[in-house]
Amino acid sequence: MARYDRVILPGGKGEVVLELSTGRLRGKVQKAAKVSTNDPNMPKVRLQLRALIKKSFNISPQDYVRFTIDRGEDWSKEFKISSPRKKEFKIVKVSSPSRAISATYTLLPDKDNPDAGNKYKLKVLISPEAPVGNVRGAIKIYTDIPGASPAMIHLSGRIEGSIHYQPEQLTFTPIINEGAISRTVNFHKAKGEGFRIEEVKTGSDDLKWKIIPVEEGKSYVLVAYWTRDDIKKMHRGVIHVLTDSKEENHLDIPYTVFPGVEKRKF
């Protein structure tokens, strides 16, 4: 981001202020900005910004976690947090991306090295009542370190229902004059009573489908066909899959259709 004086009087001075957001940056950083003026002797000026961005926090084993769990399953992950910037720092607040995700923290004693500074153990928990679906977001840890952005632990995962299906979404890129293009979704239920797919709703006349039983009551394949190749703009929708399962009678699969492309010639 840049701020600057638009008009500089003859013999006067102007100022250009460059601002760099360092939230996701680490280590040596080099950025540049181009300044255009009406000065015939200096119509173009290139400004360079160099910085060494130091971490405010050390998070181990890493500052992210990926997971796939079944709904109703107890899940937790522990992290350790310290700061090279301020040894005797305090955690003042922790926030989570949803009510189904919580985090607790405790200050760890270090009897062997009392001068090492504060180190916290933070435990992230996902409730067994968390809804089925994708989980994206971050645990934010606020501290008393002046000017420091919150430490963040990024979450990326999925909570599976009793019926597992892959992929979680579909993408179609039609090839012009090549006919319908198809994608498949595999459904599987390993535990509990069997299930049947009773109906599929696409909300678009251009998206056709059929169900292929693999193991009756356990596994099915949904084959979806996009039949139109003259689409000019990206189109998004949802395939609604209705089942007779008491646990999950409605599954939503998002899909995206990109504009048609010409077949490559080699």
Side-chain angles (χ1 to χ4, degrees):
M1 182 182 296
R3 303 195 313 274
Y4 54 92
D5 297 327
R6 291 183 177 274
V7 178
I8 303 172
L9 297 177
K13 293 183 179 181
E15 187 178 65
V16 176
V17 179
L18 302 180
E19 296 181 358
L20 180 64
S21 177
T22 62
R24 291 181 174 270
L25 301 177
R26 297 289 185 273
K28 294 182 179 180
V29 176
Q30 181 172 321
K31 300 290 184 179
K34 295 180 180 179
V35 180
S36 300
T37 78
N38 64 349
D39 185 346
N41 297 320
M42 193 177 290
K44 301 287 183 180
V45 179
R46 180 181 174 87
L47 303 179
Q48 287 193 332
L49 176 64
R50 294 187 177 95
L52 176 61
I53 301 173
K54 297 180 179 180
K55 294 192 297 184
S56 295
F57 302 96
N58 293 323
I59 302 176
S60 62
Q62 66 271 325
D63 60 359
Y64 64 90
V65 60
R66 297 184 177 93
F67 59 87
T68 300
I69 60 177
D70 290 331
R71 188 176 190 275
E73 178 182 346
D74 290 321
W75 183 93
S76 64
K77 181 77 174 180
E78 292 186 353
F79 302 85
K80 291 182 180 179
I81 303 171
S82 60
S83 174
R85 182 169 164 183
K86 182 182 178 183
K87 291 184 177 181
E88 302 300 323
F89 77 103
K90 293 182 180 180
I91 293 178
V92 297
K93 185 179 71 170
V94 176
S95 67
S96 68
S98 77
R99 294 182 180 180
I101 301 172
S102 61
T104 60
Y105 58 91
T106 55
L107 179 62
L108 294 173
D110 194 341
K111 299 179 181 179
D112 297 329
N113 188 8
D115 296 327
N118 290 352
K119 180 178 288 187
Y120 288 86
K121 179 178 74 173
L122 185 137
K123 187 175 184 179
V124 179
L125 306 97
I126 296 181
S127 168
E129 302 303 318
V132 172
N134 294 324
V135 178
R136 298 286 186 274
I139 300 291
K140 295 183 179 180
I141 302 110
Y142 298 84
T143 71
D144 65 346
I145 300 177
S149 299
M152 291 196 291
I153 298 173
H154 299 274
L155 306 176
S156 176
R158 179 168 177 78
I159 300 173
E160 298 276 13
S162 59
I163 301 174
H164 295 198
Y165 61 92
Q166 288 290 340
E168 298 163 8
Q169 57 185 6
L170 298 178
T171 300
F172 299 88
T173 304
I175 300 175
I176 295 174
N177 298 325
E178 289 294 310
I181 181 172
S182 66
R183 296 289 183 266
T184 61
V185 183
N186 298 295
F187 297 85
H188 178 69
K189 188 175 184 182
K191 301 177 182 178
E193 297 179 357
F195 77 104
R196 289 189 305 109
I197 295 178
E198 295 189 322
E199 189 178 0
V200 177
K201 298 179 179 180
T202 65
S204 171
D205 293 336
D206 299 313
L207 187 57
K208 310 298 183 182
W209 58 272
K210 70 176 180 179
I211 297 295
I212 302 173
V214 177
E215 183 181 355
E216 193 67 45
K218 295 292 184 181
S219 302
Y220 298 88
V221 174
L222 166 66
V223 184
Y225 304 87
W226 183 261
T227 59
R228 183 179 171 189
D229 63 11
D230 61 347
I231 182 171
K232 302 300 182 182
K233 296 181 180 180
M234 185 173 64
H235 171 76
R236 296 182 186 275
V238 178
I239 300 174
H240 303 283
V241 181
L242 309 182
T243 80
D244 65 349
S245 171
K246 295 179 181 179
E247 298 92 346
E248 280 182 283
N249 56 17
H250 190 165
L251 305 172
D252 287 339
I253 303 170
Y255 68 88
T256 303
V257 185
F258 292 96
V261 297
E262 296 283 354
K263 186 177 181 180
R264 292 182 179 180
K265 296 180 181 179
F266 297 96

